């Protein structure tokens, strides 16, 4: 079946239940199917006695309108429970070989904001056309996920939109209706959203603020749609004053507030039958947040027991049960990502004096030498006991960062030599073919030079250039790592190319970095919710690192900050202010994982339900999230 209009044509295949098995753009040279393989678009999940049917029509504007009609066939009134009704919209947001992902997979940026709900499906490689879904009638309050757990980290699962439905009397019906349309860019999607009946464009300066900052945001509305309607904004039941102006075909409502108190703030936005919200978070000033977190690590997350392999280790902490966690399972052990706690303390101490924190760092350094590192060979071990059952290359740059920050703190040449030895060992193990996270290329070379180790600096630069040649050769055909394709493969590649440009001045690195930057930005959404805004799509980390082992969307996850680091590097090179704004919001976006009392969470599992398990929770384990704060202290504007 073909739906056409103004050259932007849909080709769809329906099954006998009027569900869609495929959605294809007629002009797409790749003929990408926007319905995930072997899934049915429009499948409904309904309780007994509630029936649903689908009506689908095309418009002359190139849109498809889908109408989902629900009827109460019971003999008594139906009181819907949250998440009880669902509509499947299985965008193909899953990972396979990168070259296939570029052409035939998408990132699905989901916004469930009652009347203001949408999905911006954007092809992973950035080529047009992209598929948008914008609500036209009814309300969507949440989304859920059905996950094939055999796919582990590589398949986000089936997206299920959960409508918000009023009580239905016997025989009564209600409707959820949305438009599907093609679009080329994020800017075009926002334009289409703005001019859709009942929709608003909510634009905040930040989604995460620090205490003491002034807050401002805009609500833009189409004048032709909203000219006779008033929009009201409330916070905690109190009406917020707005400054209303008109320009061209838009109405602009501007909200300005002096500093607001700490905590999560939800602004409700109402206009007659339409409603939505914007959710922000106010944190303590970053200096205070970092101080609280560092002291929490020292007081709660360091283990002491004479004779134990783990004596001095920083370990996972269970905030729910108030106890340390250690397991031989890789992501819960005494090494790996948890080295970030040591790196954070060493960085924090460079601007702050605290004998208790410094003593903890010294104890941890002893643990590193004894259990996780061989200073003769540069080998980094995976766990205490010099256990290298898995010789994991990711571990090397993290320990190099730890010694780099110790060198900056104490100016001891042994730390600088250790950083060099670790990176030399990494490259001796074919590290140039690996997309490791966090290699401090620019900083390591400059520190070696300033420390009188010119020969070692040139040697590392040679390794880095070999690495850069591999990154250029592969281009967008990223090799699979622990996940087949993901944001934390692309972000390091972009960052390394930009750092190599700064080190060498070779324009090839800058040009290739820009090509890969164009792919990196597509992982990030722009929803008016601090969990999601400028946070990359990630959907497996809570399973591997969390207490509850849930394979569901993690908004946020701390490695999203790697994108902010790359954006900041690009701003530094080019002076492009827009990337500075993106960098700041990306780096702030993960700080909700650090609580004002210094406790922390390794992941926020965002969907309402995943495989029928209720979510929307911060996992109780403080595990590996401290890289989020580390990178803000390194690259955030508020801590320069």
């Amino acid at each position: 079946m073909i739906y056409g209009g103004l050259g932007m044509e849909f080709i769809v295949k329906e099954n006998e239940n009027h569900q869609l098995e495929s959605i294809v753009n007629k002009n797409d040279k790749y003929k990408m199917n926007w319905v995930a393989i072997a899934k049915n678009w429009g499948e409904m999940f309904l309780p007994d006695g509630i029936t649903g049917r689908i009506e689908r029509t095309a418009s002359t504007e190139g849109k498809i309108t889908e109408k989902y009609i629900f009827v109460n066939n019971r003999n008594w009134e139906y009181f819907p429970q949250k998440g009880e009704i669902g509509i499947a919209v299985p965008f193909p947001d899953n990972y396979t070989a990168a070259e296939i992902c570029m052409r035939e997979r998408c990132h699905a940026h989901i916004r469930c904001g009652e009347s203001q709900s949408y999905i911006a499906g954007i092809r992973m490689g950035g080529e047009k056309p992209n598929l948008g879904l914008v609500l036209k009638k009814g309300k969507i309050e949440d989304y859920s996920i059905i996950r094939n757990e055999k796919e582990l980290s590589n398949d986000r699962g089936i997206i299920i939109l959960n409508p918000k439905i009023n009580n239905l009397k016997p025989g009564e019906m209600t409707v959820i209706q949305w438009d599907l349309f093609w679009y080329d860019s994020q800017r075009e999607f926002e334009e289409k959203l703005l001019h859709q009946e009942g929709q608003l464009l909510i634009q905040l300066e930040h989604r995460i603020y620090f205490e003491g900052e002034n807050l401002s945001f805009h609500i833009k509305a189409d004048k032709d749609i909203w000219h006779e309607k008033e929009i009201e904004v409330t916070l905690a039941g109190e009406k917020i004053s707005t400054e209303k102006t008109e320009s061209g075909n838009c109405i602009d409502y501007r909200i300005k507030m002096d500093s607001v108190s700490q905590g999560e703030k939800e602004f409700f936005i109402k206009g007659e039958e339409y409603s939505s919200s914007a959710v922000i978070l106010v944190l303590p000033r970053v200096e205070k947040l970092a101080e609280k977190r560092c002291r929490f690590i020292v007081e709660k997350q360091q283990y002491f027991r004479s004779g134990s392999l783990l004596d001095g280790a920083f370990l996972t902490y269970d905030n729910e049960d108030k106890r340390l966690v250690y397991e031989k399972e890789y992501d819960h052990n005494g090494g790996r990502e948890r080295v970030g706690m040591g790196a954070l303390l060493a960085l924090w101490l460079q601007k702050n004096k605290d004998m208790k924190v410094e003593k903890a760092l010294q104890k941890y350094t002893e643990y590193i030498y004894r259990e996780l590192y061989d200073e003769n060979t540069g080998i980094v071990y995976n766990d205490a006991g010099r256990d290298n059952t898995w010789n994991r290359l990711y571990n090397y740059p993290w320990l190099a960062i730890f010694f780099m920050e110790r060198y900056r703190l104490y100016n001891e040449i042994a730390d600088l030599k250790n950083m060099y030895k670790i990176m030399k060992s990494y490259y001796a193990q074919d590290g140039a073919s690996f997309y490791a996270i966090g290699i401090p290329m620019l900083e390591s070379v400059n520190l070696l030079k300033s420390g009188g180790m010119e020969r070692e600096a040139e040697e590392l630069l040679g390794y880095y250039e070999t690495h850069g040649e591999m990154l250029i050769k592969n281009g967008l055909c990223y090799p699979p790592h622990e996940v087949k394709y993901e944001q934390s493969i692309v972000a390091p590649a972009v960052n390394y190319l930009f750092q190599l440009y700064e080190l060498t001045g070779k324009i090839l690195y800058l040009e290739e970095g820009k090509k890969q930057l164009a792919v990196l930005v597509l992982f990030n959404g722009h929803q008016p919710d601090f969990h999601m805004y400028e946070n990359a799509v990630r959907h497996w980390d809570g399973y591997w690192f969390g207490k509850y082992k849930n394979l569901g969307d993690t908004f946020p996850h701390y490695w999203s900050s790697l994108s902010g680091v790359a954006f900041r590097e690009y701003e530094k090179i080019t002076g492009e202010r827009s990337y500075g704004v993106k960098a700041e919001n990306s780096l702030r976006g993960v700080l909700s994982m650090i609580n004002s009392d210094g406790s922390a969470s390794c992941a926020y599992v965002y969907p309402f339900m995943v495989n029928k398990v209720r979510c929307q929770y911060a996992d109780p384990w403080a595990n590996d999230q401290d890289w989020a704060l580390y990178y803000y202290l390194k690259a955030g504007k508020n801590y320069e």
Side-chain angles (χ1 to χ4, degrees), residues 570-583:
Y570 187 63
E571 178 205 25
K572 185 168 64 171
I573 292 167
T574 65
E576 287 195 29
R577 174 61 184 152
S578 63
Y579 274 90
V581 173
K582 287 179 70 66

Side-chain angles (χ1 to χ4, degrees), residues 350-481:
Q350 292 164 30
K351 288 189 176 182
N352 302 274
K353 295 297 182 185
D354 188 303
M355 291 303 295
K356 191 173 182 180
V357 174
E358 192 162 356
K359 185 178 178 182
L361 179 64
Q362 291 300 101
K363 181 76 172 175
Y364 184 63
T365 303
E366 293 169 12
Y367 167 75
I368 293 287
Y369 275 114
R370 189 182 71 241
E371 306 294 341
L372 294 183
Y373 172 59
D374 186 332
E375 63 179 320
N376 294 315
T377 63
I379 292 293
V380 178
Y381 298 99
N382 202 48
D383 193 10
R386 297 199 166 195
D387 180 353
N388 236 13
T389 306
W390 180 359
N391 183 32
R392 188 180 186 236
L393 286 180
Y394 281 117
N395 298 336
Y396 284 74
W398 300 333
L399 197 60
I401 288 172
F402 170 77
F403 281 114
M404 179 183 77
E405 297 301 351
R406 270 190 57 91
Y407 175 71
R408 285 193 172 279
L409 175 61
Y410 294 117
N411 201 34
E412 292 178 358
I413 198 69
D415 290 317
L416 195 58
K417 288 180 177 178
N418 284 329
M419 179 193 73
Y420 159 73
K421 289 177 188 176
I422 290 167
M423 292 315 303
K424 184 175 180 179
S425 177
Y426 168 84
Y427 282 107
Q429 300 174 72
D430 196 28
S433 297
F434 191 75
Y435 288 62
I437 292 171
I439 299 174
M441 290 184 175
L442 180 64
E443 199 167 358
S444 63
V445 169
N446 289 340
L447 284 176
L448 287 168
K449 287 180 178 179
S450 65
M453 297 175 67
E454 292 279 351
R455 180 188 61 80
E456 290 85 352
E458 288 305 313
E459 185 179 1
L460 276 196
L461 180 56
Y463 293 140
Y464 294 158
E465 290 220 68
T466 300
H467 202 157
E469 290 166 9
M470 183 277 296
L471 296 174
I472 292 171
K473 179 182 177 183
N474 287 344
L476 301 184
C477 296
Y478 301 95
H481 284 63

Side-chain angles (χ1 to χ4, degrees), residues 35-315:
V35 181
I37 296 170
K39 303 299 187 293
N40 292 321
W41 181 291
E43 180 181 358
M44 285 176 271
F45 300 84
L46 305 167
D48 291 341
I50 306 301
T51 58
R53 72 176 192 272
I54 308 170
E55 293 180 0
R56 189 173 290 114
T57 58
S59 75
T60 56
E61 289 132 5
K63 298 177 182 178
I64 287 180
T65 297
E66 293 192 315
K67 183 185 291 186
Y68 293 84
I69 302 165
F70 303 99
V71 180
N72 179 12
N73 288 316
R74 299 172 176 178
N75 293 323
W76 59 91
E77 193 163 344
Y78 169 52
F79 284 64
Q81 300 301 300
K82 192 174 184 181
E84 191 171 39
I85 289 177
I87 306 168
V89 285
F91 282 80
D93 193 343
N94 64 289
Y95 301 138
T96 181
E99 55 267 35
I100 296 174
C101 287
M102 294 298 125
R103 303 188 304 264
E104 300 175 39
R105 300 293 185 271
C106 76
H107 305 296
H109 298 296
I110 308 168
R111 162 66 172 163
C112 297
E114 297 205 350
S115 301
Q116 199 229 17
S117 297
Y118 59 78
I119 300 179
I122 191 159
R123 202 191 305 255
M124 291 181 183
E127 286 193 61
K128 58 185 182 182
N130 302 299
L131 182 64
L133 180 159
V134 173
L135 190 67
K136 197 170 184 178
K137 187 173 184 179
K139 296 179 179 180
I140 304 291
E141 60 179 340
D142 285 298
Y143 76 93
S144 298
I145 295 288
I146 296 178
R147 190 84 177 231
N148 178 358
E149 294 187 354
K150 292 180 181 179
E151 291 292 324
L152 292 176
S153 306
N154 291 306
D155 187 356
R156 189 177 180 185
I158 303 172
I159 298 165
I160 310 294
L161 295 180
N162 300 128
K164 184 176 184 178
I165 293 176
N166 295 327
N167 300 346
L168 297 176
K169 293 184 290 186
E172 190 176 8
M173 73 173 191
T174 191
V175 170
I176 296 292
Q177 184 173 316
W178 57 60
D179 283 343
L180 300 176
F181 55 84
W182 303 110
Y183 70 99
D184 290 347
S185 64
Q186 172 67 23
R187 184 172 182 177
E188 184 183 349
F189 179 85
E190 291 179 353
E191 280 295 311
K192 288 178 179 284
L193 176 70
L194 177 61
H195 302 304
Q196 178 86 356
E197 178 69 31
Q199 295 298 319
L200 300 163
L201 189 59
I202 304 169
Q203 298 177 314
L204 288 87
E205 181 183 6
H206 304 298
R207 271 56 168 181
I208 290 184
Y209 287 83
F210 297 118
E211 194 170 34
E213 290 184 322
N214 294 332
L215 181 152
S216 68
F217 66 94
H218 294 255
I219 302 168
K220 291 188 179 295
D222 184 305
K223 188 162 65 174
D224 292 336
I225 297 171
W226 289 89
H227 69 286
E228 293 181 352
K229 305 170 186 177
E230 282 300 320
I231 294 172
E232 180 181 276
V233 181
T234 60
L235 174 62
E238 297 291 324
K239 187 174 180 180
I240 303 296
S241 62
T242 62
E243 180 183 319
K244 181 179 175 182
T245 59
E246 295 187 14
S247 176
N249 63 342
C250 283
I251 307 171
D252 188 325
Y253 293 84
R254 186 171 185 180
I255 292 89
K256 288 184 176 181
M257 297 180 68
D258 293 334
S259 60
V260 292
S261 59
Q262 292 178 31
E264 185 174 323
K265 313 290 180 186
E266 185 167 13
F267 293 86
F268 285 96
I269 302 158
K270 296 180 181 179
E272 295 187 1
E273 72 269 33
Y274 303 111
S275 62
S276 189
S277 63
V279 187
I280 67 164
L281 179 67
V282 181
L283 291 172
R285 294 182 65 86
V286 69
E287 297 87 354
K288 192 67 177 177
L289 188 70
E291 177 187 349
K292 288 284 190 179
R293 179 60 191 147
C294 288
R295 289 181 176 158
F296 188 98
I297 290 169
V298 169
E299 293 168 8
K300 304 283 190 182
Q301 294 194 238
Q302 190 165 38
Y303 183 65
F304 298 96
R305 187 170 187 181
S306 180
S308 168
L309 295 179
L310 294 168
D311 184 38
F314 292 133
L315 300 176

